[in-house]
Amino acid sequence: MATTVTAKGQVPIPKPVRDMLGIVAGSRVDFHRAADGRVVLVRAADAGCRALSNLFPLPEIDIAGSLSWRFAA
């Protein structure tokens, strides 16, 4: 699933990805660099959930749009 970078350097997140990750207006997202060099988008944990984020895998989307489960760093 491809998208286009705007003149301001912004990248729209396609609706299927937003729906899959539960991203809505006002949601925070994080970008992580995976060990294999991919950049991964994850929905940022709420402050109360950050302590649990290392215990459970978060969904990650690679640039090809496939869903994989990995532990977020």
Side-chain angles (χ1 to χ4, degrees):
M1 179 176 320
T3 189
T4 303
V5 178
T6 69
K8 290 180 161 185
Q10 298 171 336
V11 178
I13 302 170
K15 184 167 178 14
V17 175
R18 293 191 318 264
D19 291 346
M20 186 173 13
L21 295 176
I23 296 171
V24 296
S27 293
R28 294 183 51 84
V29 296
D30 285 329
F31 295 90
H32 299 279
R33 187 168 185 182
D36 64 3
R38 292 179 302 136
V39 174
V40 179
L41 166 73
V42 295
R43 190 175 111 189
D46 295 328
C49 298
R50 284 198 180 107
L52 298 175
S53 67
N54 291 329
L55 300 176
F56 300 100
L58 298 174
E60 297 182 351
I61 306 298
D62 66 22
I63 58 173
S66 64
L67 178 64
S68 62
W69 291 94
R70 299 176 190 263
F71 287 96

